[in-house]
Amino acid sequence: MPNYMIIDAAHGVRSTNPLAEVTAPLAAPVGPAAIVPRVDEVSSIALISSEDDVLANLAMFSVLSLTGLAVLSLLVGWLIVGRILSPVRRMTKATEQMLRDPTLRRALNDDGRDDEFSRLARTMDSMVSRIHASGDAHRRFAANASHELSTPLAATRTTIQVALEKPLDAEIRELLLTLLASNERSTATLAALLALTRAQDGLETSTNVEFSKTISDCLDAAEPEAQMRSVTIYRTLVRAPVHGDAELLTLLVDNLIRNSVRYNISGGRVDVHLATAYDEVRLTVVNTGELVNEADISRLTEPFQRGHSRTGAQGSGLGLSLVAAITEAHHGRLKITSGKSGGLSVTVSLFQPSRVCSRNGGSGVGGQ
């Protein structure tokens, strides 16, 4: 607190410092009352010569005090609100984890409390459980139906193959061949349904997979069909390890490549490009073909959906549905765009093993 001195005509000099009371007689009165600084404290004395100075000092002290109280109030309020909202942050984090991993079924309410937030968490837990139960029932039905139908289809195929080994009229033989082709398409559809159900259930096992080798093997397998359809495949591959289910990743690549070959034009081409970018692997498959409406692209990943120009092609209509489900199971991203002159561009982005393990993502192989 600054020191000051009050000069009074009747009593001499008085110091306001409680530790030192100084008085001295004056040779002549100075006035009714005046305040002057002590000589040895000139540098730290606040001069108060009028009531306005007193009011100004009081105002300054009031402002400083109110500012300090305001800052303290904000700090205390921030701490209290943070503690109150901490259950909301925990619920938000658990919900985000469940959204990133559809197979994760973590309970939001795990603190055993009985307040508003805990009751809300229990309600959300019940809702999530019902959604999972509905999805499980749907997937079990698809799997059971596929298994039940596969047995009669296999028996029918065997019967047709045995009949074809006998001498038959040309007309009957042609009919049996048509039935055999239809049986094979139905069997392929059931196999695709089973694979789709498995992909939607999430990954049971995960290993490090050399993605470039998987793609190269699928390209070699699709080459005969591409030659038969007069479609040329171009490949640009680099070493790119990914973490996931090797069988599902093979199914993903096989569907992408065979779709790009089948839904093409005579004399068309397919470009397969594999690249790495920071912590992810990107597989891009671009093909020529007829124009695809932008409105149809969003439906192509739905089961049994095809573009208007694709209904005549072979396939079960589950190819891109499988690609989307397998990509989601591996926490990847799928992007589908239509080409300006026709065809599609499909990009699958998967995380590399280091990124997957942390849960926070060579030599070129070229060919034609």
Side-chain angles (χ1 to χ4, degrees):
M1 178 178 180
N3 296 324
Y4 56 85
M5 299 178 66
I6 300 176
I7 301 177
D8 187 90
H11 301 91
V13 180
R14 288 188 295 111
S15 172
T16 60
N17 190 336
L19 300 179
E21 185 71 25
V22 180
T23 59
L26 299 177
V30 179
I35 301 173
V36 298
R38 288 179 53 166
V39 176
D40 58 343
E41 298 178 349
V42 173
S43 60
S44 62
I45 292 176
L47 298 178
I48 300 178
S49 59
S50 65
E51 293 182 357
D52 292 339
D53 291 338
V54 174
L55 294 176
N57 278 274
L58 289 175
M60 180 184 67
F61 293 145
S62 299
V63 170
L64 292 176
S65 300
L66 290 175
T67 302
L69 288 175
V71 172
L72 181 61
S73 299
L74 288 175
L75 178 61
V76 173
W78 179 76
L79 293 174
I80 293 175
V81 172
R83 183 171 181 81
I84 293 175
L85 294 181
S86 59
V88 177
R89 288 195 292 269
R90 290 197 300 268
M91 292 166 58
T92 302
K93 183 178 180 180
T95 304
E96 290 175 347
Q97 290 176 345
M98 286 191 291
L99 289 175
R100 287 194 297 267
D101 186 357
T103 63
L104 185 62
R105 308 188 182 190
R106 176 175 299 175
L108 299 178
N109 179 42
D110 55 0
D111 54 8
R113 299 180 181 177
D114 188 20
D115 52 22
E116 288 77 6
F117 290 123
S118 297
R119 287 192 288 272
L120 174 61
R122 285 195 292 270
T123 302
M124 294 181 64
D125 283 341
S126 177
M127 178 187 66
V128 171
S129 297
R130 290 188 178 186
I131 293 175
H132 278 299
S134 176
D136 291 342
H138 172 74
R139 286 188 285 271
R140 282 197 302 269
F141 172 79
N144 292 335
S146 299
H147 280 298
E148 290 295 327
L149 290 174
S150 61
T151 300
L153 282 174
T156 302
R157 182 175 66 253
T158 302
T159 302
I160 295 174
Q161 290 173 342
V162 171
L164 286 171
E165 293 178 356
K166 298 179 180 179
L168 298 170
D169 294 338
E171 188 174 321
I172 296 177
R173 179 174 292 276
E174 182 179 354
L175 176 61
L176 289 176
L177 289 174
T178 302
L179 290 174
L180 183 61
S182 177
N183 180 276
E184 290 175 350
R185 285 195 297 271
S186 298
T187 303
T189 300
L190 284 176
L193 278 173
L194 285 171
L196 180 60
T197 302
R198 179 187 170 193
Q200 291 175 339
D201 283 337
L203 304 182
E204 296 180 357
T205 59
S206 297
T207 59
N208 290 339
V209 179
E210 179 50 54
F211 207 29
S212 61
K213 185 179 185 306
T214 300
I215 297 171
S216 181
D217 292 342
C218 292
L219 287 171
D220 294 339
E223 191 64 41
E225 184 177 0
Q227 293 178 358
M228 182 183 67
R229 297 175 180 270
S230 300
V231 174
T232 306
I233 299 178
Y234 298 87
R235 66 180 79 181
T236 304
L237 308 179
V238 297
R239 290 182 58 84
V242 296
H243 193 78
D245 188 301
E247 185 177 346
L248 288 179
L249 289 174
T250 300
L251 193 60
L252 179 150
V253 176
D254 186 68
N255 275 274
L256 272 182
I257 295 173
R258 291 190 182 278
N259 272 7
S260 65
V261 171
R262 290 171 182 171
Y263 302 118
N264 214 313
I265 57 177
S266 179
R269 62 182 291 166
V270 175
D271 291 276
V272 180
H273 182 75
L274 180 65
T276 58
Y278 181 50
D279 57 354
E280 68 179 15
V281 175
R282 294 176 185 172
L283 169 63
T284 303
V285 179
V286 182
N287 72 328
T288 54
E290 299 182 9
L291 287 172
V292 180
N293 297 329
E294 290 290 340
D296 293 332
I297 291 180
S298 61
R299 299 188 302 107
L300 292 178
T301 55
E302 299 177 8
F304 306 108
Q305 293 291 334
R306 302 181 179 89
H308 294 305
S309 62
R310 297 175 158 226
T311 54
Q314 295 180 358
S316 62
L318 293 171
L320 288 179
S321 300
L322 276 169
V323 171
I326 296 172
T327 302
E328 183 177 358
H330 287 80
H331 311 290
R333 300 190 307 274
L334 175 66
K335 181 180 179 181
I336 305 176
T337 57
S338 60
K340 294 182 180 180
S341 57
L344 288 176
S345 174
V346 182
T347 301
V348 175
S349 300
L350 301 174
F351 293 127
Q352 290 184 316
S354 59
R355 171 72 179 270
V356 174
C357 293
S358 62
R359 271 291 184 265
N360 294 320
S363 62
V365 181
Q368 174 176 336

